[in-house]
Amino acid sequence: MHDFHYKNGALCCEDVSIFDLAKAVGTPFYLYSKRTLTNHYRVFDAAFADIPHLICYAVKANSNLALLKLFINKGAGLDIVSGGELFRGIKAGVDPSRVVYSGVGKKIEEIDAAIAAGILMFNVESSQELEVIHSRAKQMGIKAGIALRVNPDVDPETHPYISTGLRENKFGINLKESLNHYRRAARLPWLDIKGVSCHIGSQITKVSPFVDALEILKRLIVELRREGMSIRYLDLGGGLGITYNEETPPHPGEYAQALVEKAKDLDVTVILEPGRVIVGNAGIMVATVLYTKEAENKNFVIVDAGMNDLIRPSLYGAYQHIQPVIKEERPEIIADIVGPVCESGDFFARGRKIPRLERGELIAIMSAGAYGFAMASNYNSRPRVAEILVAGDRYHVIRKREEYEDLIRGEEIPEM
């Protein structure tokens, strides 16, 4: 559910008119509903109330400080994949002991910063990374908490770009080799083996892949404990999908019920890393129609947002629902909705049946709260857009629109 709705024919976010908001801040912009964000987090957290658990919000989905602070205030930890995300989390006030650090390519300076901050644990993804973390921990005189990210070879049945739990994916350590890697870690005195971790993919719309992965990890935990390792955490990652079009993902309650039933006898704290399921449908992008045109019996709607602002349709062929901000009776047409970027891949929809749109009116690109601004760029020297958070009848600019000077900050022309 979300708090974007029509009132007297005009799309609103909670109690704020999006038409009026666009006049005040200009377009394009990202728009988030605080009430939706809060409700999504509360529902997800409550679903796991029957077992010890820690919700570590996946910063990569949307890393705006205001959103991080909102979740931290509700009790969330963070799942990070870079030193920059650790920096953001600390700025937002996270307790580092509630941070888990995933990712296949952790640099030495990033590892050092995480050890110094006192994070809960690293999710280690290779034998060389294990050695590096031990070496840095020894040099700093601080034991580092670790889990191995085990690749369970479970098919999440999602887009191949966001599948992470198969043998051919770059992530994690092969299940068959994981026991030997744990034995090796147990011999390294500056490592504290805290748990077992996995993450099988993103935008998963079935419970069964999660249950299959959990069954595999349970067997591994039993074996590790048999060998004397104190496993206190089971990190099941994130990946629960949302509805963009006709998907029917399970409700967080259904998802939790299946996992809680399998995990309740393990005597561990279960770590969950939700991202998209919390923020995805809590945000939209608002854009203005610049021009409409017909070419070779084809209709184009050209808007002022581009693939640099929201790359999911271009990168994944992903569907994002698009609707006019002002709803009125009008004929439907088949059209491509495209942006101004100099790429044929700069589109938000192709061959989409939509209400006929006119120059100057506003559209809302729905379900854009996750992997929207977080994946934005300055391609074509386009300033990144503003981010707005609505709470009731008030709005807050939580990231200012970039200006042209921002594009060249840090650059210099050498005398040669």
Side-chain angles (χ1 to χ4, degrees), residues 142-193:
I142 305 172
K143 260 196 169 186
I146 64 125
L148 296 189
R149 178 172 171 175
V150 178
N151 189 327
D153 197 27
V154 169
D155 186 359
E157 301 180 48
T158 188
H159 191 286
Y161 285 9
I162 49 179
S163 168
T164 60
L166 296 171
R167 280 177 293 183
E168 62 262 31
N169 298 137
K170 70 178 180 180
F171 301 95
I173 291 171
N174 184 282
L175 176 65
K176 294 179 181 179
E177 300 171 0
S178 61
L179 185 56
N180 285 333
H181 284 292
Y182 269 107
R183 289 168 176 159
R184 184 179 183 184
R187 295 192 294 268
L188 298 174
W190 289 94
L191 297 182
D192 177 8
I193 299 173

Side-chain angles (χ1 to χ4, degrees), residues 58-72:
V59 177
K60 61 182 174 287
N62 188 318
S63 60
N64 188 283
L65 289 178
L67 272 59
L68 299 187
K69 184 64 172 177
L70 179 66
F71 300 137
I72 291 166

Side-chain angles (χ1 to χ4, degrees), residues 18-19 21-29 286-290 304-305 361-363 385-386 401:
I18 293 174
F19 181 84
L21 182 55
K23 287 195 295 184
V25 303
T27 62
F29 61 90
V286 179
T288 299
V289 177
L290 297 176
D304 62 354
E361 74 172 296
L362 301 172
I363 64 165
V385 306
R401 187 181 310 280

Side-chain angles (χ1 to χ4, degrees), residues 83-342:
E85 290 188 349
L86 176 62
F87 174 80
R88 281 183 170 273
I90 291 173
K91 285 289 185 182
V94 73
D95 177 352
S97 69
R98 298 169 72 82
V99 172
V100 294
Y101 192 166
S102 307
V104 300
K106 306 176 184 77
K107 298 170 68 173
I108 286 177
E109 55 265 36
E110 293 176 315
I111 291 170
D112 287 355
I115 293 173
I119 69 166
L120 175 61
M121 64 187 188
F122 293 93
N123 288 331
V124 180
E125 307 225 17
S126 69
S127 60
Q128 289 185 4
E129 182 189 326
L130 194 69
E131 296 286 350
V132 169
I133 291 174
H134 178 260
S135 173
R136 302 311 299 172
K138 179 180 179 181
Q139 184 164 326
M140 297 172 71
I142 305 172
K143 260 196 169 186
I146 64 125
L148 296 189
R149 178 172 171 175
V150 178
N151 189 327
D153 197 27
V154 169
D155 186 359
E157 301 180 48
T158 188
H159 191 286
Y161 285 9
I162 49 179
S163 168
T164 60
L166 296 171
R167 280 177 293 183
E168 62 262 31
N169 298 137
K170 70 178 180 180
F171 301 95
I173 291 171
N174 184 282
L175 176 65
K176 294 179 181 179
E177 300 171 0
S178 61
L179 185 56
N180 285 333
H181 284 292
Y182 269 107
R183 289 168 176 159
R184 184 179 183 184
R187 295 192 294 268
L188 298 174
W190 289 94
L191 297 182
D192 177 8
I193 299 173
K194 291 187 174 183
V196 174
S197 169
C198 82
H199 182 85
I200 59 174
S202 188
Q203 184 52 15
I204 301 169
T205 56
K206 296 180 179 179
V207 169
S208 55
F210 296 109
V211 173
D212 292 345
L214 175 54
E215 290 284 9
I216 291 168
L217 297 183
K218 284 179 68 173
R219 293 193 289 271
L220 176 60
I221 289 172
V222 169
E223 183 60 35
L224 293 175
R225 285 176 170 166
R226 187 178 294 129
E227 298 201 10
M229 296 179 218
S230 176
I231 302 301
R232 290 150 278 166
Y233 294 92
L234 171 58
D235 187 341
L236 292 174
L240 187 62
I242 65 171
T243 300
Y244 287 101
N245 186 16
E246 297 179 349
E247 305 93 337
T248 55
H251 184 274
E254 178 188 349
Y255 165 76
Q257 184 178 14
L259 296 183
V260 167
E261 184 63 29
K262 298 291 183 181
K264 63 184 179 183
D265 60 343
L266 271 176
D267 190 26
V268 294
T269 296
V270 173
I271 297 174
L272 292 311
E273 301 171 357
R276 187 193 314 264
V277 71
I278 304 294
V279 298
N281 283 325
I284 66 173
M285 188 168 70
V286 179
T288 299
V289 177
L290 297 176
Y291 307 103
T292 64
K293 72 173 185 177
E294 295 183 14
E296 296 293 326
N297 297 318
K298 190 167 189 176
N299 296 301
F300 291 94
V301 176
I302 303 159
V303 300
D304 62 354
M307 63 184 288
N308 69 296
D309 303 310
L310 176 59
I311 200 173
R312 291 188 70 257
S314 177
L315 181 62
Y316 303 128
Y319 180 96
Q320 308 259 175
H321 181 64
I322 299 172
Q323 59 196 61
V325 167
I326 302 299
K327 183 167 63 173
E328 56 190 23
E329 289 296 324
R330 60 177 99 186
E332 289 188 327
I333 61 170
I334 304 294
D336 288 6
I337 301 177
V338 302
V341 172
C342 286

